[in-house]
Amino acid sequence: MRWLFGLLAAAVVAAVAAVLIVLPGDPPPARVSQKATPSPTVTEPTPKVPEFTDDCGTYETEEKYPYAVTGYWIMPQSNRCTWRKQLQEIHSVGGDTVIRIGYGLQYRAVDDEGRVLAKDGTRDSLYEDCVEDGLSCHDAAERDLRRAHPDNRIARTYVYRTDQAFGPDLFRCSEIERSVAAGKRVYYRVLTPMDGSDPSSCDLGTPKPYDLIIIAGAAEDSLTELLALGDQFGIRVFPALPLAPRDPKTPIRANPDHEKTLRTLTRRILQDYGVRFADRTSLGGVYQPFEVQMAASLAGNPTLQVYAEQHRIVEQELPGKPILISPYLDARKRVAFGQTPAQVAEGFKALVKTGVGIIAPQDSRGTGKVGLFWPDQRDDEVDERLRPVVGETTYGTAYHGSTRDYYREMALAREEMLRAGHEVELWANVESFEPSGDKPCAPQGTRGKTDKKRLDQAVTMAGRYVQKIVSYMWSDFMTCGSPSLEQEVMKDWDRPIAVDAIRRGHDARDGVEVRGYHLKDGTVTVTWPGGATEMVIATTGLLDEDPLEELPDGMQTAWVPFDWAQVPAGEWVRIGVRLPSGQETTEPLRVRLAA
């Protein structure tokens, strides 16, 4: 209900005659819309019961350790009990959203017997069991096509693997399309004209070339199970759209040669979802898994045409369900493709125009492509964990800007898009890993464990500008090491995190308003060269635990009196919050009065 009061809140804020405390060039974005959800609207599910029991055991659905991060990516799992355990853990630390890693559509060659070949030219064992009447699925499909007309043929073969099972609405023509059960696998044989028309009528009498898509699916549908778990834990699920084939010459781009086939596969899968899941509250939307770099040149990237095609299908087949994307940032100065905050803002606007409802840019701190630092830290040496990526250098030498600079510019771009009639949310995807580690967390690569202090720092830098904070990812990165990051969060979940401070008066008194998490019973600390003071929120100020503004879940605002005249002009001020337990913000805000 918060957004219903948005315009009133904006008017009240505008009437307050206060000087903002800002970083240089760091104005808070003007509030244009106070809608807390993108259009289409998303309904938040709620847990069904305090605990439930199934074959995997008994699971509590209580939220015990609510942290600032409220959504996580998860990996496909062959052991379904692992998923149940993960969703319980995610919900216990305040998570209400999971995003599925997905699979890609692949163009493949076949041998003389119609057997699907792997990329190295050998037979792909995953598809060997797709057999009908003693024929490979490819040859059986071509036989059925030629029965309808002898000049029909299969021109291209594609494969797509998944742990999902589909209903009959995946198919359009039962004469040539069907499922083939083989042990724990179910194969789906989809045929569509090569021109991408995919007509609803089953006209096989006019000879034409066809695309064959062989889907290696599962006997039990993982998405049905995830949605049921979402219902139990009050978690929204974002399944992945099929990933586009990559351009062999430029793998960071989608291959437009296969766009029509991808469009058909996407439409068929979403038709099936539309019949089975359209009314499920736990289906939060869909995830576009093809990553792109946020850059000023994005408008000319052929991948965005693929985005637009798939996104139109989502709007048609799953009206009311938003599309989520998570592009990455690269702020490095020493690479030709590093982008400034202004260039990233242009990329944000180009992505909005493809029809997405949620953009969750990766903060790219985990990969070392962006740093977490304040303007007065530009000459500081970078965190030693960043050195494998940028070397021994300073933040100002290594990066065009900090995480805060990039999210600020994207927030301003979002406001511009809202004024133009595009409804979109900006989320922050804070990466819960380091570029390398003594013990890599994932089976592939060198990425290692990070700690809660660094994750709190990432929340501090981005939290001011976004509607939600999510993290890549739960599987591996939140659970590896000893103690794991999950265990650190559970132990230290209620530590205050401040994300914003502005000069604001109240009842004719000068003061400071702080936004952040877990501020209740706190003391605001203000330090500057030559001075320091502390104000207890409960006795000297005000606390709003549910602000009528477009803020992430769990964020609060606190106001305390403070005489800014005692701070010398141009001096940097550090603002933090400390609780009676002794817990205090690990990353104090650094602000100064605007000139």
Side-chain angles (χ1 to χ4, degrees), residues 569-593:
E571 291 288 357
W572 287 95
V573 179
R574 297 191 182 193
I575 298 177
V577 178
R578 185 180 64 251
L579 300 182
S581 64
Q583 294 169 297
E584 59 185 335
T585 48
T586 56
E587 181 65 31
L589 300 166
R590 298 176 186 230
V591 299
R592 65 179 175 181
L593 286 175

Side-chain angles (χ1 to χ4, degrees), residues 6 17 28 85 155 157 180 194 196 229 299 340 374 388 403 462 530 561 569 581-582:
K85 180 175 181 291
T157 300
V180 178
M194 189 178 175
L229 289 170
T340 66
W374 299 96
T403 295
S581 64

Side-chain angles (χ1 to χ4, degrees), residues 42 107 113 120 128 130 207 222 276 278 290 337 372 391 436 482 572:
V42 175
Y107 170 65
E113 297 179 14
D120 62 2
E128 281 191 330
C130 190
S222 65
R276 294 192 293 140
F290 201 107
F337 42 81
L372 302 171
S436 61
S482 182
W572 287 95

Side-chain angles (χ1 to χ4, degrees), residues 339-375:
Q339 298 285 293
T340 66
Q343 290 173 315
V344 162
E346 291 303 310
F348 182 92
K349 289 184 278 189
L351 290 171
V352 171
K353 293 174 183 177
T354 67
V356 296
I358 301 166
I359 301 179
Q362 302 164 36
D363 73 350
S364 297
R365 168 55 184 80
T367 58
K369 295 175 182 177
V370 186
L372 302 171
F373 61 96
W374 299 96

Side-chain angles (χ1 to χ4, degrees), residues 151-354:
D151 292 331
N152 282 334
R153 64 185 178 87
I154 294 175
R156 299 182 300 188
T157 300
Y158 293 83
V159 296
Y160 178 71
R161 62 170 298 182
T162 180
D163 55 0
Q164 296 182 40
F166 302 102
D169 291 280
L170 182 74
F171 303 126
R172 290 198 170 187
C173 183
S174 59
E175 294 180 41
I176 56 171
E177 296 183 308
R178 60 181 61 98
S179 59
V180 178
K184 294 183 179 179
R185 284 278 177 192
V186 175
Y187 296 93
Y188 299 88
R189 192 182 86 181
V190 175
L191 284 155
T192 180
M194 189 178 175
D195 61 10
S197 57
D198 196 27
S200 56
S201 61
C202 189
D203 177 17
L204 304 175
T206 302
K208 62 187 69 171
Y210 284 80
D211 283 337
L212 168 65
I213 306 171
I214 301 175
I215 301 174
E220 300 292 332
D221 183 32
S222 65
L223 183 53
T224 297
E225 184 160 353
L226 269 180
L227 293 176
L229 289 170
D231 290 337
Q232 292 287 352
F233 290 107
I235 289 177
R236 289 185 294 164
V237 178
F238 284 75
L241 294 171
L243 184 71
R246 297 185 180 275
D247 188 324
K249 296 181 180 179
T250 313
I252 61 173
R253 294 185 170 189
N255 191 339
D257 292 344
H258 305 295
E259 181 180 326
K260 294 176 181 177
T261 312
L262 177 71
R263 184 172 63 203
T264 295
L265 177 62
T266 303
R267 183 185 298 111
R268 297 298 192 88
I269 290 175
L270 293 185
Q271 281 179 177
D272 177 67
Y273 287 0
V275 172
R276 294 192 293 140
F277 306 130
D279 296 330
R280 293 290 290 269
T281 303
S282 53
L283 179 63
V286 292
Y287 166 52
Q288 168 59 265
F290 201 107
E291 294 182 2
V292 293
Q293 182 186 347
M294 297 283 276
S297 59
L298 259 183
N301 189 323
T303 305
L304 264 62
Q305 177 59 34
V306 173
Y307 274 21
E309 287 279 356
Q310 283 191 300
H311 298 169
R312 276 193 287 271
I313 296 169
V314 174
E315 293 171 357
Q316 294 165 1
E317 305 297 341
L318 288 176
K321 302 295 183 181
I323 303 146
L324 181 152
I325 62 174
S326 188
Y328 65 92
L329 307 176
D330 197 328
R332 292 174 293 172
K333 287 183 176 179
R334 292 173 177 172
V335 297
F337 42 81
Q339 298 285 293
T340 66
Q343 290 173 315
V344 162
E346 291 303 310
F348 182 92
K349 289 184 278 189
L351 290 171
V352 171
K353 293 174 183 177
T354 67

Side-chain angles (χ1 to χ4, degrees), residues 289-501:
F290 201 107
E291 294 182 2
V292 293
Q293 182 186 347
M294 297 283 276
S297 59
L298 259 183
N301 189 323
T303 305
L304 264 62
Q305 177 59 34
V306 173
Y307 274 21
E309 287 279 356
Q310 283 191 300
H311 298 169
R312 276 193 287 271
I313 296 169
V314 174
E315 293 171 357
Q316 294 165 1
E317 305 297 341
L318 288 176
K321 302 295 183 181
I323 303 146
L324 181 152
I325 62 174
S326 188
Y328 65 92
L329 307 176
D330 197 328
R332 292 174 293 172
K333 287 183 176 179
R334 292 173 177 172
V335 297
F337 42 81
Q339 298 285 293
T340 66
Q343 290 173 315
V344 162
E346 291 303 310
F348 182 92
K349 289 184 278 189
L351 290 171
V352 171
K353 293 174 183 177
T354 67
V356 296
I358 301 166
I359 301 179
Q362 302 164 36
D363 73 350
S364 297
R365 168 55 184 80
T367 58
K369 295 175 182 177
V370 186
L372 302 171
F373 61 96
W374 299 96
D376 61 333
Q377 293 178 308
R378 294 184 188 278
D379 294 330
D380 291 0
E381 292 290 321
V382 300
D383 184 329
E384 64 179 12
R385 293 172 291 187
L386 294 171
R387 292 174 186 170
V389 181
V390 296
E392 294 188 17
T393 185
T394 64
Y395 284 110
T397 300
Y399 300 111
H400 289 291
S402 73
T403 295
R404 197 170 182 89
D405 298 325
Y406 286 89
Y407 281 96
R408 178 186 66 244
E409 292 300 318
M410 288 186 286
L412 291 169
R414 173 180 178 256
E415 297 297 325
E416 181 181 331
M417 292 291 97
L418 290 175
R419 288 193 293 269
H422 299 278
E423 290 292 341
V424 63
E425 283 197 358
L426 172 62
W427 294 4
N429 174 6
V430 295
E431 294 174 337
S432 55
F433 55 88
E434 294 295 332
S436 61
D438 296 336
K439 296 180 179 179
C441 285
Q444 295 85 29
T446 62
R447 294 173 180 174
K449 176 186 177 297
T450 193
D451 53 60
K452 181 177 180 290
K453 179 179 178 180
R454 209 275 286 156
L455 205 60
D456 284 0
Q457 187 182 18
V459 171
T460 297
M461 292 292 181
R464 170 183 181 177
Y465 300 108
V466 301
Q467 289 74 64
K468 188 179 181 68
I469 301 174
V470 295
S471 181
Y472 185 91
M473 60 182 301
W474 186 269
S475 315
D476 300 327
F477 297 127
M478 287 293 293
T479 56
C480 82
S482 182
S484 67
L485 187 51
E486 176 198 3
Q487 291 169 330
E488 290 186 42
V489 169
M490 292 168 64
K491 183 179 179 180
D492 195 42
W493 64 275
D494 53 351
R495 178 179 296 275
I497 304 174
V499 304
D500 187 25

